[in-house]
Amino acid sequence: MRSLLVSVALLHLTGICLCQFPRPCANSEGLRTKECCPVWEGDGSPCGALSGRGFCTEVQVSDEPNGPQYPHIGLDDRERWPLAFYNRTCRCAGNYGGFNCGECRFGYWGSNCAEYKESVRRNIMTMSTAEQQKFISYLNLAKNTINRDYVISTTTRAEMGENGENPRFSDINTYDLFVWMHYYVSRDAFLGGPGNVWRDIDFAHESAAFLPWHRIFLLHWENEIRKLTGDFNFTIPYWDWRDAQSCEVCTDALMGGRNSLNPNLISPASVFSSWKVICTQPEEYNNREVLCNATGEGPLLRNPGNHDPNRVPRLPTTADVDFTVGLPEYETGSMDRFTNMSFRNVLEGFASPETGLAVPGKSTMHNSLHVFMNGSMSSVQGSANDPIFLLHHVFIDSIFERWLRTHQPLRTSYPRTNAPIGHNDGYYMVPFLPLYRNGDYFLSNKVLGYEYAYLLDPGQRFVQEFLTPYLQQAQEIWQWLLVAGMVGAVVASVIAALIVVARRRWRRRKRMSSFGEQQPLLQSSSEEGSSSYQTTL
């Protein structure tokens, strides 16, 4: 609880914004001045300063020592992020956020960002058909819409000139923006010369920042979809893969089934069969000493289950997850992929979820799903091309949340020094702008405005996972239900009217027969049959 309160206080000092690179800063002037403090249109001042929303300030980077995994200094633009590009950015006050403080920070809404709202991420398998289809349509819309606020860098900072005289930025669609970000944060470092790279470097994987970085990544992804679609109730669903024997979401109704003619491709009945991937050829980029420029590189590949069984003998089980959540230490030892009894390292998939010990050459937990998909999702730099990446990482984030709630760690549980470069508490996450410190997001998602359906109490969970989908389905077909009800009412009224008329006629005949001579011959079997039919009716 103490760590939660401290983190909340820190969040009020942290600007919320999307990533690399805001359009207003992606030009020669921004590179020359090294300033990214765009004007907020609401009052015409940088960072909305006249309205008290934020202010332009000097970037103060952490000087805490990094681990020995990356021994170089001054060779990579991501070192001491973001100083290679900018040394002044917006810092937003209170609940304000956005690259110009024109938006709200996570979980807050309204013109003054004073309304807290908690969104619920749900299991994609319990969502209604219409909700599933809407999610898929949003993905495809993002894939086919150029992002209006952000661009990507297509070269290193040095190639843009000392004073930014040769800015090299490019448009990109909203979905691929996040694919490129995931590539950029995990790419190899160029050391000079074709193929001369340093591979043991990753600012979002293989150490402590793995979970906070992906948490921010997913929150921004949701935020961009909300802005793109106008659906501010949107959340990314999760796939609960515990005890799964196959890819349950690999159907044409969801994330795409298997192509019957080529098992490595997506079924043509799925919209994802037409998607082109980007940033999937790291060796080519290394040999040419270039960055991925987001050019399409072929179809989305996936062949789930046809992977190396020696590396991934099975998918994670409920017992695996429970063991992992039970580990009390977030990081231990060298704080990398070789560490033992570390919650982060077991969850990421470099250690066993049965013993807690590192298992070189094996992939468990998070990593096992990537290998299992056996395609575009199976290489780190290009893995976000597959939309299953989102479902998978949302569920990983929920396990992180379970661990936080179980152990309620202090901020000091997150490594302050000597983690691999990019992973110390005070290091700013690459490539987000303005800035997010890793340690600031080592906290419960309740502070960030979202929840998981399966972590709700039983009553709330029933409403979210069972009652809500039922009511939504009823809402989708209410017109048909209304018409059917009206038709049914008319038919029932006609039948009732016929019964009334028939009974009246029968009574009238009975009264008339009581005044005349009895006719025994009329009590024939045929008359009895008629009487029986009428009574039955």
Side-chain angles (χ1 to χ4, degrees):
M1 183 58 70
R2 284 178 295 170
S3 62
L4 180 63
L5 294 175
V6 171
S7 298
V8 171
L10 285 169
L11 273 175
H12 281 273
L13 299 176
T14 305
I16 301 299
C17 164
L18 242 153
C19 57
Q20 170 111 20
F21 285 87
R23 281 186 186 275
C25 307
N27 50 51
S28 294
E29 179 66 13
L31 294 174
R32 182 185 64 80
T33 62
K34 303 195 75 171
E35 181 173 292
C36 185
C37 295
V39 168
W40 176 52
E41 294 180 357
D43 65 8
S45 67
C47 310
L50 293 178
S51 301
R53 300 179 75 96
F55 53 94
C56 190
T57 185
E58 296 286 337
V59 175
Q60 300 294 326
V61 299
S62 171
D63 289 322
E64 296 293 347
N66 301 312
Q69 293 84 358
Y70 178 74
H72 306 285
I73 298 176
L75 294 181
D76 193 284
D77 291 341
R78 298 166 296 176
E79 297 175 37
R80 296 168 60 82
W81 180 262
L83 296 186
F85 292 93
Y86 309 106
N87 57 25
R88 288 176 61 83
T89 62
C90 287
R91 177 177 295 178
C92 302
N95 296 330
Y96 297 115
F99 61 76
N100 59 0
C101 301
E103 299 179 9
C104 300
R105 71 181 179 91
F106 303 125
Y108 286 85
W109 308 80
S111 58
N112 294 318
C113 302
E115 176 188 352
Y116 176 79
K117 176 183 176 182
E118 187 174 279
S119 303
V120 178
R121 292 175 177 172
R122 296 167 52 201
N123 188 335
I124 194 170
M125 305 302 289
T126 65
M127 291 165 59
S128 68
T129 300
E131 288 178 308
Q132 294 170 346
Q133 292 173 343
K134 181 169 69 172
F135 172 62
I136 293 168
S137 70
Y138 285 178
L139 292 175
N140 202 46
L141 178 64
K143 185 73 170 180
N144 290 281
T145 305
I146 296 298
N147 193 278
R148 65 182 184 180
D149 294 325
Y150 305 99
V151 294
I152 63 169
S153 167
T154 58
T155 67
T156 63
R157 175 63 185 86
E159 293 178 272
M160 297 186 191
E162 183 178 355
N163 293 311
E165 57 270 19
N166 186 30
R168 300 290 295 276
F169 299 98
S170 175
D171 287 339
I172 193 168
N173 68 63
T174 295
Y175 187 94
D176 285 349
L177 171 67
F178 290 89
V179 177
W180 187 90
M181 285 175 56
H182 196 265
Y183 148 79
Y184 188 82
V185 76
S186 58
R187 69 176 180 84
D188 300 330
F190 299 145
L191 300 182
N196 185 20
V197 298
W198 189 266
R199 300 182 186 276
D200 193 8
I201 184 172
D202 193 315
F203 293 79
H205 302 87
E206 301 185 15
S207 192
F210 169 67
L211 293 167
W213 189 94
H214 284 85
R215 173 161 283 193
I216 293 298
F217 179 87
L218 294 170
L219 283 166
H220 277 313
W221 207 97
E222 285 177 333
N223 189 52
E224 279 301 287
I225 294 299
R226 289 167 181 167
K227 292 194 299 183
L228 176 63
T229 64
D231 181 359
F232 290 95
N233 293 315
F234 170 79
T235 56
I236 308 172
Y238 57 86
W239 171 32
D240 184 348
W241 34 249
R242 289 175 294 183
D243 305 309
Q245 301 299 312
S246 63
C247 180
E248 300 164 337
V249 296
C250 294
T251 66
D252 288 340
L254 291 174
M255 313 314 290
R258 197 189 305 269
N259 188 311
S260 60
L261 299 179
N262 185 339
N264 295 313
L265 298 178
I266 308 297
S267 164
S270 168
V271 67
F272 301 117
S273 65
S274 64
W275 279 26
K276 301 299 181 185
V277 297
I278 65 170
C279 303
T280 61
Q281 300 174 5
E283 293 306 316
E284 179 181 340
Y285 313 144
N286 290 345
N287 289 332
R288 294 169 51 204
E289 295 183 89
V290 298
L291 298 182
C292 165
N293 63 6
T295 300
E297 297 172 343
L300 178 63
L301 302 177
R302 188 196 303 147
N303 191 349
N306 291 320
H307 60 285
D308 180 0
N310 293 320
R311 188 174 186 86
V312 178
R314 61 174 175 79
L315 292 179
T317 65
T318 299
D320 292 338
V321 173
D322 292 344
F323 174 89
T324 304
V325 171
L327 291 168
E329 300 296 328
Y330 185 75
E331 281 293 358
T332 63
S334 57
M335 297 177 285
D336 56 18
R337 64 183 182 274
F338 303 110
T339 189
N340 297 319
M341 306 307 291
S342 154
F343 163 73
R344 188 276 314 160
N345 204 38
V346 174
L347 181 56
E348 190 170 358
F350 295 106
S352 168
E354 298 175 319
T355 66
L357 302 179
V359 283
K362 302 286 186 182
S363 294
T364 68
M365 300 299 286
H366 156 266
N367 289 346
S368 69
L369 267 292
H370 281 274
V371 175
F372 176 84
M373 290 302 163
N374 193 32
S376 302
M377 193 169 155
S378 302
S379 63
V380 176
Q381 295 180 24
S383 59
N385 278 292
D386 193 328
I388 292 178
F389 175 98
L390 295 169
L391 308 181
H392 173 43
H393 271 274
V394 170
F395 192 63
I396 290 294
D397 183 75
S398 78
I399 299 173
F400 178 35
E401 181 63 24
R402 284 183 58 187
W403 184 85
L404 289 169
R405 296 185 190 182
T406 299
H407 300 281
Q408 300 184 13
L410 297 174
R411 174 72 174 261
T412 52
S413 297
Y414 192 94
R416 182 168 172 266
T417 64
N418 297 315
I421 187 171
H423 293 264
N424 283 339
D425 180 306
Y427 207 96
Y428 289 122
M429 296 181 188
V430 177
F432 297 102
L433 289 171
L435 302 165
Y436 303 94
R437 292 188 189 275
N438 292 319
D440 288 346
Y441 295 89
F442 186 65
L443 77 171
S444 172
N445 57 25
K446 289 284 189 180
V447 180
L448 302 174
Y450 70 99
E451 176 60 288
Y452 287 99
Y454 83 104
L455 298 182
L456 294 168
D457 64 57
Q460 293 175 304
R461 182 179 178 185
F462 173 78
V463 170
Q464 284 292 334
E465 293 197 336
F466 301 101
L467 184 59
T468 298
Y470 173 79
L471 293 176
Q472 288 171 338
Q473 286 182 316
Q475 184 179 18
E476 293 158 12
I477 62 172
W478 71 269
Q479 298 96 333
W480 298 103
L481 293 175
L482 179 60
V483 171
M486 294 174 64
V487 171
V490 171
V491 172
S493 299
V494 171
I495 293 175
L498 291 173
I499 292 175
V500 170
V501 171
R503 287 180 64 84
R504 286 178 177 175
R505 288 182 178 178
W506 180 75
R507 289 173 180 171
R508 189 180 299 117
R509 290 178 182 176
K510 186 175 181 181
R511 285 197 301 270
M512 292 176 63
S513 63
S514 65
F515 292 106
E517 182 181 355
Q518 299 292 326
Q519 301 287 338
L521 293 177
L522 293 178
Q523 305 298 321
S524 65
S525 59
S526 61
E527 186 66 22
E528 289 174 356
S530 175
S531 176
S532 298
Y533 173 76
Q534 196 175 44
T535 302
T536 302
L537 176 63

